[in-house]
Amino acid sequence: MKRGLFIALALVLFLALVPGVFAQKVTVWCWDPNFNVYAMKQAADVYNKTHPNVQIDIVDMAQDIEAKVSAGLQAGGAGLPDIALFQDFRIEQFLHDYPDAFVDLKAAGVDYSKFAAYKVGPMQVGSKIYGIPFDTGSTGLWLRTDYLKAAGLNPDSYAGKNLKWSDVVKFGVTVKAKTGKPLLAWQSDNFDMLRIVVQSTGGQFFKPDGSLNLRSDAFKKSISLFKDLNDKGLLYSVVGWSDWINAINSDQSAGFLNAIWMVGTVKSRPQNAGKYMIIPTPLIEGVSGAANASNNGGSSWYVFSSSSNKAAAVDFLKSVWATSTPDTLAFYNTILKGAGAMGTFLPSQSGSNYTARDEFFYKSQPVFKDFATWMAKVPVLKYTPNYVPMRTAVANAVQNYFQGKLSSVDDTIAAAEAEYKQVMGE
Amino acid sequence: MALRGAYERYLNRFGWWCVAPSVLFFSIFYAYPILSSLYYVTRRWKGATNTFIGLGNFIRMARDNVFLEAVGHNFIFMIIQVPIMVFLALLLAVLLNQGIKSFRGGLRLAIFLPSVTSLVVVSVLFRVLLQTNGFLNNVMLGGHFIASPIGWLSDAFWAKVTIILALTWRWTGYNMVFFLVGLQSLDPQIFEAAEVDGASKVRQFFTITVPLLVPIILFSAVTSTSGTMQLIEEPNILTFQGGPSNATMTAALYIYRQAFFINFDFGYATSMSYVVVIISGILAAIQLRLLGGERATR
Amino acid sequence: MTVARRWTPGRILMWLVLLGSAVASVFPFYWMLNGTTLNPNDVLRGILAPGGDFLSNWKLATTTYNLPLFFTNSLVIALGTVVFGVVINSMAAFGFEKYRSRARDRVFGILLLTLILPQIAVVIPMFKMFSFFKLLNTRLAIALPSVMSVFIIFFLRQNFKLFPTEIMEAARVDGASELAIFVRIVAPSMRASFASAAIYMFIAQWNAYLWPLITILNDAIKTLPIAMASVMQAYTIQYGALMVIVCVSTLPVLILFLTMQKQFVAGLLGSVK
């Protein structure tokens, strides 16, 4: 009996000592099957080549993710994964409210000089840096060339041009008149399109001291622009993210204003092939510092301190996402073509797909080259921890303005400020 | 009790043993949470840290239009939906009970069916049916009832109507069955006598049926009111988290969002919960007084 | 029934109201069933005729959305709640009804207060409590708070009222212990009421939303209502698969109810009196 026990014990010890016989599991929470899940899977494949016994489990949490993360953090880490994806505009609030919840990756040896500086900003608190930057949200104006043509316009005359919004409104009106399609799909309960325009002007939503900055010229001009678009019937209004996607992919509008990460969604519908053309984000006139470029979204990966597999998680992120090897560079190249996921890992930008033409788009436009060019011009936007209540308040006020419940831009701004103060308890 | 002494004490002890588990559950899952939340009420939470702020949360609540409007919405739903539904349920019960002889079972079953669905299912189904380019709009456009699609989910007014529609659909059958049961316990001779006296069916309804069914109406009203004060599934799923622009935000939903989405402020959320509890209590007391009092006087 | 009823406007109106209500009540169920056969766009557009996508929707629902797991979770939790619930609530109702005392009546009065207590008020402190004991995200956490239901106790009390105390007295004379009286004499004859209570508790737990929403942190424990809510939050809502989940979520309750209609209504009869 004793001998049997001894042998069993020895066997167990032997197995434990032999590196990696016991499979380790790293759980990752993210969203968007065509984009983030896909990218993570590619990364997992690369990692599994050298670490075959680390099982990387990717869970699509959709829009649940922030509620579940906050519930888990409130519960001291219960139910949380090892790695989670956070949108850049959201992370500051989490870092601020839960200072010990994330692993300091700078201390773990990640070289942040290899990442685009504007991505590192939101994830840095003092001397600690917490995340691995992922994708850029470089934006453009996406147009359906088939509807342009049907309206008697020549798409080539707009390709690559730095247009002003007034130009866009003009041809938008023509498209609406001739084809009945509104130019832009607009998610009325979401503030992102407005944000894109504001950011393109270099405007900020918050002053350096953290207080609201909604009375700026840039913001007022942006709201007026959308009111104008709405009044001219150029916005196809839907409620809810999924319905916005649905509207685009069921031909309800002649285009939309959003970021590079829509590539995966647009490509997921075969009928979109050859129809889409992307031009630089239009310019708001009369605001100094305005550019034909903006950013919407972009996320980064974070490791939770409560993770039971911290070492494996950190190593995975570091070695695949933050280190240059032929395999990792190939990985960044693949996800660019496959999902439009343009990473902000600077060494990866020499990949072939970054300059290649993409046959899915109108006249094989080299969309990634364009987005990368525009990305370099994006004015920086400071989020602050209070970004989310602000954007909800603004979205609500703008919705009311469009429905006629508020009568002017100033009233809209006042309403947004009022709601923000009440929700924040100031 | 006629018995005294050891036997009586044994019975008494047994009685306590019977109710003990339920009292234990009550203490752990109702009493303790309510009492412990007093701790949170005086604090402001910000994620992992909290600070003492005395009555600050209540002052904040008084100035928080979103909260005040949310409570207002609860009241709007309550004042409009509950009477409509109770009346409809009563009407259907009377029609089924006294109006028709055939198909009674089938119709009763059909109207009761929505009550077995979860509120999540109701929200999902109605959200699909009430899309701007969805079924209901298509039917109404086709039948020329309306000229352009109604924004059931995107317009502030219609979104409230949508919630009321969903609630009525879900709960009318449930309450109808209660009324049916009550009606069946009424003595048909009363009605026959009234008929002989020349009272019309409508008059009979208002002067005989309704007063006799007051206890059930009270039960219906109290539970429905309590339900509308707790409304969370419909505004969250059907109208997208209280939209559009907080037009259908309810107290419970706002509390949930403050705790888990917006600010992670459990202190503020708990304070609002307290206020909601007090409001519910007052409403129940009023209803008991109003409707229960009538019963006592007869 | 020999008198022929004339079709007065009143009668026509009455039938319109009844039939209209019945159709309006049942239509969404047809919709739900039909939706399982359509592709997502058609579900939204409101096509009434069945389509051919049932298998692909079913596959999506059972593989990508882990429908069997969610169904199992819901079932296990609901059954657990019912088993414990019937025992605890029936004993409580028995104790409150057949062993009247002023003290117990007062206790019952306090318990009644929970009927008007909004759930949101208890949910947040309970969340803190369960997370302190590291019991979040477990099936136990979802089921426990629902086990005791004052509504059920009230309902069962009404039914116990109808049980003749003389039988209990006779058994006492024969020397039976109170527990034996309950288990061997009272409970067996209350089967119908217990069945009603069980059905009611099952349906309530099966459809529960708020507390599971807060407690469930990942897919392993997810129940059907939460799964449906999650699908509605997805990037692109797969309406066809969603309808499958909706059907799977609703049909068991529907069938349960249809087969046990009589008990259900009989139970309601007792409580209303």
Side-chain angles (χ1 to χ4, degrees):
Chain A
M1 172 62 183
K2 260 217 194 128
R3 206 155 40 117
L5 208 61
F6 181 70
I7 292 176
L9 202 64
L11 205 61
V12 168
L13 276 173
F14 174 71
L15 287 173
L17 286 172
V18 171
V21 170
F22 287 143
Q24 288 188 298
K25 196 153 97 123
V26 170
T27 311
V28 180
W29 280 5
C30 58
W31 63 88
D32 196 347
N34 292 330
F35 194 87
N36 299 309
V37 175
Y38 163 79
M40 241 309 164
K41 268 219 182 75
Q42 301 297 315
D45 288 342
V46 170
Y47 193 66
N48 283 140
K49 274 196 222 157
T50 47
H51 298 79
N53 52 291
V54 175
Q55 185 194 335
I56 298 170
D57 216 6
I58 307 166
V59 182
D60 179 6
M61 295 293 284
Q63 295 175 47
D64 268 352
I65 189 170
E66 277 154 18
K68 293 293 178 252
V69 166
S70 66
L73 287 171
Q74 279 288 344
L80 286 178
D82 304 290
I83 299 174
L85 186 66
F86 281 85
Q87 298 185 79
D88 293 336
F89 71 77
R90 228 350 189 157
I91 191 62
E92 286 187 56
Q93 186 176 14
F94 280 94
L95 290 175
H96 185 260
D97 289 349
Y98 301 99
D100 300 318
F102 301 95
V103 174
D104 179 358
L105 293 179
K106 174 141 172 264
V110 172
D111 180 3
Y112 282 98
S113 65
K114 298 231 179 80
F115 287 100
Y118 83 91
K119 288 282 286 185
V120 180
M123 57 176 69
Q124 180 164 12
V125 179
S127 62
K128 301 194 186 161
I129 309 184
Y130 291 99
I132 295 284
F134 178 26
D135 60 316
T136 175
S138 177
T139 58
L141 182 60
W142 300 58
L143 295 168
R144 285 283 294 264
T145 54
D146 52 335
Y147 290 127
L148 289 178
K149 285 194 205 146
L153 300 164
N154 180 9
D156 297 323
S157 58
Y158 303 114
K161 292 273 187 329
N162 286 330
L163 297 175
K164 303 197 200 64
W165 273 108
S166 47
D167 304 326
V168 175
V169 171
K170 261 202 271 242
F171 75 70
V173 168
T174 313
V175 171
K176 180 82 199 288
K178 298 269 173 59
T179 66
K181 299 283 179 195
L183 188 65
L184 301 174
W186 160 264
Q187 187 190 344
S188 56
D189 56 319
N190 182 297
F191 147 99
D192 287 350
M193 275 170 65
L194 191 58
R195 169 262 169 96
I196 292 174
V197 173
V198 172
Q199 186 169 2
S200 75
T201 67
Q204 299 293 331
F205 293 107
F206 291 94
K207 304 206 182 94
D209 62 359
S211 61
L212 273 186
N213 185 34
L214 298 180
R215 304 211 172 178
S216 61
D217 196 39
F219 191 65
K220 287 189 189 162
K221 285 213 165 71
S222 308
I223 298 187
S224 306
L225 168 70
F226 281 104
K227 183 73 167 49
D228 191 37
L229 285 169
N230 194 41
D231 291 340
K232 295 195 162 76
L234 300 182
L235 295 181
Y236 182 79
S237 203
V238 287
V239 183
W241 174 257
S242 170
D243 296 345
W244 184 78
I245 302 259
N246 194 45
I248 291 171
N249 275 347
S250 60
D251 305 328
Q252 301 295 338
S253 70
F256 59 93
L257 177 70
N258 218 324
I260 178 183
W261 39 258
M262 281 296 290
V263 168
T265 310
V266 164
K267 279 190 174 170
S268 71
R269 183 184 182 233
Q271 294 98 311
N272 286 336
K275 295 195 183 141
Y276 271 100
M277 164 178 100
I278 312 174
I279 65 174
T281 311
L283 189 77
I284 287 257
E285 296 159 81
V287 180
S288 69
N292 278 91
S294 189
N295 186 67
N296 185 26
S299 325
S300 307
W301 305 99
Y302 295 82
V303 180
F304 287 105
S305 307
S306 57
S307 155
S308 46
N309 257 326
K310 263 194 288 252
V314 172
D315 187 56
F316 165 55
L317 288 181
K318 200 165 117 189
S319 53
V320 177
W321 298 83
T323 317
S324 301
T325 70
D327 277 339
T328 62
L329 293 178
F331 150 70
Y332 271 108
N333 208 28
T334 311
I335 61 174
L336 178 64
K337 178 100 191 255
M342 181 175 290
T344 41
F345 183 56
L346 299 170
S348 70
Q349 298 192 331
S350 55
S352 59
N353 285 333
Y354 278 77
T355 47
R357 303 188 79 87
D358 193 330
E359 322 79 52
F360 194 85
F361 290 90
Y362 176 71
K363 298 221 166 137
S364 298
Q365 177 182 358
V367 290
F368 301 122
K369 178 150 159 271
D370 290 339
F371 276 116
T373 317
W374 301 331
M375 178 170 92
K377 297 198 272 174
V378 173
V380 174
L381 181 71
K382 295 238 182 322
Y383 296 114
T384 82
N386 298 326
Y387 186 78
V388 170
M390 183 272 298
R391 87 202 265 254
T392 312
V394 170
N396 288 343
V398 169
Q399 239 183 324
N400 283 335
Y401 181 37
F402 285 10
Q403 290 187 353
K405 294 197 183 62
L406 294 163
S407 49
S408 72
V409 174
D410 287 324
D411 284 347
T412 310
I413 293 178
E417 287 176 340
E419 182 176 326
Y420 174 81
K421 288 206 175 76
Q422 283 148 10
V423 168
M424 293 300 292
E426 284 166 14
Chain B
M1 286 232 222
L3 298 161
R4 298 229 161 268
Y7 189 61
E8 193 200 45
R9 281 204 302 277
Y10 163 64
L11 286 181
N12 196 34
R13 256 204 326 271
F14 183 73
W16 282 117
W17 276 111
C18 280
V19 311
S22 62
V23 172
L24 184 67
F25 271 80
F26 169 76
S27 312
I28 299 178
F29 299 113
Y30 288 93
Y32 176 72
I34 289 284
L35 293 173
S36 76
S37 61
L38 272 174
Y39 171 72
Y40 298 108
V41 160
T42 54
R43 307 187 104 77
R44 185 194 177 97
W45 280 72
K46 221 27 184 127
T49 56
N50 61 77
T51 49
F52 179 79
I53 54 168
L55 289 173
N57 279 326
F58 292 99
I59 300 174
R60 178 176 168 186
M61 229 186 289
R63 289 203 294 238
D64 187 344
N65 270 356
V66 181
F67 176 67
L68 297 172
E69 279 171 20
V71 174
H73 296 148
N74 280 97
F75 272 91
I76 291 177
F77 294 139
M78 186 176 72
I79 292 172
I80 298 182
Q81 194 265 337
V82 174
I84 291 180
M85 183 196 66
V86 169
F87 177 73
L88 192 60
L90 196 52
L91 177 70
L92 287 172
V94 166
L95 290 179
L96 273 182
N97 195 46
Q98 296 160 317
I100 60 167
K101 290 273 189 290
S102 47
F103 300 117
R104 214 184 264 174
L107 283 172
R108 183 187 64 203
L109 180 65
I111 300 176
F112 182 76
L113 228 43
S115 317
V116 305
T117 59
S118 79
L119 291 167
V120 178
V121 167
V122 176
S123 305
V124 168
L125 286 175
F126 272 73
R127 183 157 136 186
V128 170
L129 285 168
L130 265 47
Q131 295 278 317
T132 314
N133 59 338
F135 179 76
L136 191 61
N137 270 342
N138 288 344
V139 163
M140 287 172 68
L141 276 171
H144 297 294
F145 291 117
I146 52 176
S148 63
I150 296 181
W152 296 104
L153 301 174
S154 55
D155 180 78
F157 171 74
W158 288 107
K160 294 191 178 77
V161 172
T162 302
I163 299 268
I164 291 179
L165 274 176
L167 286 174
T168 310
W169 181 82
R170 169 67 173 70
W171 291 106
T172 302
Y174 180 77
N175 287 288
M176 178 192 79
V177 168
F178 281 119
F179 290 131
L180 267 177
V181 166
L183 281 174
Q184 271 156 21
S185 68
L186 292 182
D187 187 355
Q189 289 186 329
I190 307 178
F191 292 99
E192 282 164 29
E195 190 106 22
V196 165
D197 282 347
S200 73
K201 286 258 167 21
V202 176
R203 226 182 112 84
Q204 285 173 40
F205 177 77
F206 283 106
T207 55
I208 304 176
T209 318
V210 172
L212 282 178
L213 288 179
V214 159
I216 307 181
I217 296 178
L218 172 69
F219 178 77
S220 227
V222 169
T223 49
S224 305
T225 304
S226 156
T228 51
M229 281 313 290
Q230 300 191 47
L231 213 51
I232 191 171
E233 282 95 334
E234 285 91 345
N236 201 17
I237 301 178
L238 176 52
T239 52
F240 303 87
Q241 289 131 30
S245 318
N246 296 338
T248 56
M249 181 65 80
T250 57
L253 182 57
Y254 187 57
I255 293 171
Y256 171 69
R257 287 187 66 77
Q258 275 286 5
F260 291 101
F261 269 102
I262 305 177
N263 278 316
F264 316 131
D265 191 341
F266 275 19
Y268 189 48
T270 319
S271 313
M272 290 192 281
S273 305
Y274 255 91
V275 172
V276 172
V277 170
I278 294 174
I279 295 177
S280 298
I282 295 176
L283 284 173
I286 293 177
Q287 280 170 315
L288 274 168
R289 194 48 70 87
L290 272 181
L291 292 172
E294 267 187 48
R295 185 181 179 196
T297 56
R298 251 186 300 108
Chain C
M1 179 56 197
T2 49
V3 178
R5 300 265 195 120
R6 286 196 327 264
W7 285 101
T8 63
R11 266 184 86 68
I12 296 178
L13 189 63
M14 178 183 76
W15 274 101
L16 272 174
V17 169
L18 283 172
L19 282 173
S21 304
V23 167
S25 298
V26 173
F27 177 71
F29 289 94
Y30 168 75
W31 179 268
M32 174 178 96
L33 277 169
N34 195 38
T36 59
T37 63
L38 300 172
N39 69 55
N41 277 329
D42 286 345
V43 173
L44 273 183
R45 282 197 294 145
I47 309 286
L48 279 178
D53 284 291
F54 179 72
L55 279 175
S56 60
N57 287 333
W58 177 260
K59 197 147 159 270
L60 191 61
T62 48
T63 52
T64 313
Y65 303 118
N66 205 339
L67 188 54
L69 175 64
F70 303 148
F71 183 83
T72 313
N73 285 333
S74 281
L75 191 64
V76 166
I77 293 171
L79 285 176
T81 308
V82 164
V83 165
F84 286 104
V86 168
V87 169
I88 289 180
N89 291 325
S90 65
M91 292 220 64
F94 186 62
F96 282 122
E97 188 57 33
K98 291 301 189 198
Y99 299 85
R100 300 293 295 269
S101 82
R102 277 244 288 277
R104 270 188 287 282
D105 278 349
R106 282 213 198 95
V107 169
F108 186 69
I110 297 178
L111 257 57
L112 273 179
L113 288 176
T114 62
L115 281 179
I116 56 158
L117 194 63
Q119 207 192 1
I120 191 78
V122 263
V123 146
I124 292 173
M126 276 214 294
F127 173 78
K128 280 290 185 187
M129 188 169 76
F130 274 90
S131 82
F132 179 77
F133 288 107
K134 304 243 183 286
L135 281 174
L136 270 186
N137 207 37
T138 58
R139 295 203 190 104
L140 199 65
I142 301 175
L144 272 183
S146 328
V147 167
M148 195 280 289
S149 159
V150 179
F151 183 76
I152 298 290
I153 296 180
F154 181 81
F155 165 83
L156 287 173
R157 268 193 74 164
Q158 304 298 102
N159 287 285
F160 277 121
K161 246 197 238 247
L162 304 171
F163 186 86
T165 318
E166 300 81 57
I167 300 185
M168 286 171 62
E169 300 279 354
R172 284 187 190 127
V173 166
D174 283 344
S177 74
E178 296 304 303
L179 189 61
I181 293 178
F182 179 70
V183 175
R184 298 226 189 88
I185 301 175
V186 181
S189 76
M190 299 287 294
R191 260 199 307 250
S193 314
F194 288 178
S196 292
I199 296 169
Y200 186 88
M201 292 192 78
F202 184 86
I203 296 181
Q205 184 63 297
W206 182 265
N207 290 338
Y209 177 70
L210 182 56
W211 176 239
L213 181 69
I214 294 180
T215 323
I216 293 174
L217 296 176
N218 59 40
D219 268 13
I221 311 290
K222 230 181 226 181
T223 58
L224 286 169
I226 309 303
M228 281 188 278
S230 284
V231 173
M232 289 298 265
Q233 299 271 57
Y235 228 58
T236 37
I237 302 180
Q238 291 292 342
Y239 283 102
L242 178 64
M243 287 298 134
V244 172
I245 302 179
V246 167
C247 281
V248 169
S249 182
T250 312
L251 288 177
V253 169
L254 207 62
I255 294 171
L256 182 70
F257 172 71
L258 286 174
T259 54
M260 316 216 40
Q261 255 188 89
K262 273 203 281 274
Q263 280 95 322
F264 201 73
V265 180
L268 282 180
L269 193 88
S271 79
V272 167
K273 294 214 180 94

